[in-house]
Amino acid sequence: MIDAEGRHETILKIEALHKTFGPVVAVDGVTLEIRRNEFFALLGPSGCGKTTLLRMLAGFETPSGGAIWLSGQDIAPLPPEKRPLNLMFQSYALFPHMTVRQNLSYGLEMERLPKSEVRKRVDETLATTDLTALADRKPDQLSGGQKQRVALARALVKRPKVLLLDEPLGALDKKLREKMQLELKRLQHEAGITFVIVTHDQEEALVMADRMAILKDGKLLQVGTPEEIYEAPQDRFVANFIGIMNFIAGDIDRDGTFSTDGYSFALPAKRPPGAATIAVRPEVIRLSKGADGISGTISAIAYHGLDRVLHVATKVSDAPVQVRVTAEEGRHFAPGQPVGLLVDPAKCHVF
Ligand code: ATP
């Protein structure tokens, strides 16, 4: 939500949050603001502290240091059930002996809401999650995707200010996962609830998140929109973790010209001279059939729907350089063929 001055309203403020388990530093001084109604993803490799961070927000883990503010209130003294946020577990944790409707009603009945209010809220939530037709089934009569929707509906029906989701799509196969990614985003939008989701899947975060945070070894490396992080990664780790990135070794001279394998171009920003590695995305490299550019040989061609990704072996990169082309362009190339690689200087990163 944006106020009259165009500022985003912060719903969740995390300040210098720290968590150690004996000698292990799981979360190392994370400071972060999450905005009202945004879809926020916590992303990072296994063991980077994502789940621990989420569990501290939910109140299942006590911070070793730092603070968490929800709508301006320090929530440290509140037990999990008193926090206006709800954690949806990876395992769904549905009650097997209850129908879908009873699974949804249970939490509201515990809050002693009037029967008519429970019915109204459950009906509304069943409708938004497309579960009305399945309301009288039990969990073992549902598919994986349907169970996932019930778990989500059960969390939404309580109308938390923030919904925390730990790898919510982890148990689903690829196709269903992709469908549910869009579904989750639609539901978040319709429900008007802030979602904080933990995932180790960068593609999933790129598809769903309004903004995302990249964590490594308990530390926050970068926060931004998917575009910002994809187009302006702040270091080599982030560049490599999000999307495909090629790393090409060479040298920068005093004038700021980068040279590699007899090919050179002026870098957009001045850099100190010396050995350097540039990072370039597969879609900003062009191929030439002539002698210009970095010389290489096509080692493989991978089909990605409408696109082709050509793998090009060179002397200046450890891994084959990946170049994305259209199917039409791809027709002109074959494995074993020599090519030149031309880099768009404006689109390369130097770390
Ligand atoms: P994954 O994607 O594999 O679930 P993660 O990013 O969620 O990983 P966490 O589960 O938060 O990572 O764990 C962060 C670090 O803290 C890891 O080194 C882990 O081994 C450690 N850790 C987590 N919980 C405990 C615990 N209860 N006791 C000891 N160490 C723990």
Side-chain angles (χ1 to χ4, degrees), residues 52-344:
T52 305
L53 180 53
L54 205 69
R55 288 175 57 81
M56 286 194 280
L57 297 178
F60 294 116
E61 215 66 82
T62 311
S64 313
I68 304 164
W69 307 79
L70 182 67
S71 305
Q73 182 195 10
D74 179 3
I75 58 171
L78 299 180
E81 66 278 9
K82 292 270 161 59
R83 297 187 180 199
L85 18 84
N86 207 338
L87 176 65
M88 192 187 116
F89 292 96
Q90 204 166 12
S91 59
Y92 310 152
L94 300 176
F95 299 118
H97 59 287
M98 292 185 187
T99 63
V100 170
R101 174 180 290 284
Q102 287 164 342
N103 263 282
L104 264 64
S105 308
Y106 181 77
L108 300 180
E109 283 162 3
M110 287 294 108
E111 285 180 29
R112 300 188 189 284
L113 287 183
K115 272 213 164 77
S116 59
E117 173 69 12
V118 172
R119 177 161 266 284
K120 181 170 161 278
R121 278 220 227 162
V122 169
D123 281 342
E124 273 172 20
T125 311
L126 287 171
T128 39
T129 51
D130 275 335
L131 288 168
T132 308
L134 305 175
D136 298 321
R137 294 218 201 153
K138 291 194 175 153
D140 65 1
Q141 299 167 317
L142 300 173
S143 73
Q146 290 164 341
K147 275 188 230 174
Q148 200 275 345
R149 279 220 301 280
V150 178
L152 186 68
R154 203 178 53 171
L156 289 173
V157 81
K158 295 190 80 175
R159 297 192 185 153
K161 281 190 177 171
V162 178
L163 183 60
L164 308 170
L165 306 107
D166 189 357
E167 298 274 2
L169 309 178
L172 308 179
D173 67 46
K174 189 172 187 304
K175 207 156 180 174
L176 191 54
R177 232 181 132 102
E178 284 168 5
K179 180 172 168 256
M180 287 306 295
Q181 288 169 359
L182 298 175
E183 187 93 6
L184 261 188
K185 206 167 158 73
R186 176 186 69 81
L187 284 171
Q188 184 266 338
H189 191 75
E190 278 184 15
I193 292 175
T194 307
F195 275 28
V196 181
I197 181 175
V198 156
T199 176
H200 65 272
D201 181 337
Q202 48 101 4
E203 256 177 67
E204 187 161 291
L206 288 173
V207 170
M208 293 196 290
D210 296 315
R211 288 193 313 142
M212 55 210 239
I214 315 288
L215 294 162
K216 185 189 173 218
D217 299 334
K219 289 196 172 65
L220 184 65
L221 296 185
Q222 190 170 2
V223 181
T225 63
E227 292 81 5
E228 283 164 356
I229 291 185
Y230 188 82
E231 283 167 22
Q234 68 155 38
D235 66 15
R236 193 176 168 135
F237 176 83
V238 175
N240 202 22
F241 191 67
I242 302 293
I244 297 168
M245 189 62 103
N246 297 298
F247 295 96
I248 296 170
D251 291 286
I252 299 175
D253 72 9
R254 276 177 216 288
D255 304 325
T257 299
F258 177 82
S259 307
T260 184
D261 190 29
Y263 171 62
S264 56
F265 55 86
L267 290 170
K270 195 119 177 135
R271 297 279 170 173
T277 297
I278 60 162
V280 245
R281 296 284 184 201
E283 57 275 16
V284 299
I285 301 177
R286 280 185 307 115
L287 289 170
S288 111
K289 283 185 170 174
D292 44 345
I294 301 163
S295 54
T297 307
I298 296 175
S299 56
I301 298 180
Y303 293 82
H304 291 272
L306 291 174
D307 293 340
R308 303 280 182 274
V309 174
L310 276 55
H311 294 236
V312 180
T314 68
K315 283 187 291 195
V316 295
S317 175
D318 295 338
V321 174
Q322 298 190 43
V323 184
R324 189 180 296 278
V325 297
T326 62
E328 179 51 35
E329 286 170 282
R331 258 192 267 282
H332 304 290
F333 297 97
Q337 189 177 335
V339 286
L341 303 177
L342 303 165
V343 173
D344 180 350

Side-chain angles (χ1 to χ4, degrees), residues 21 24 26 45-52 167 200:
F21 295 103
V24 178
S46 181
C48 72
K50 310 176 291 286
T51 298
T52 305
E167 298 274 2
H200 65 272

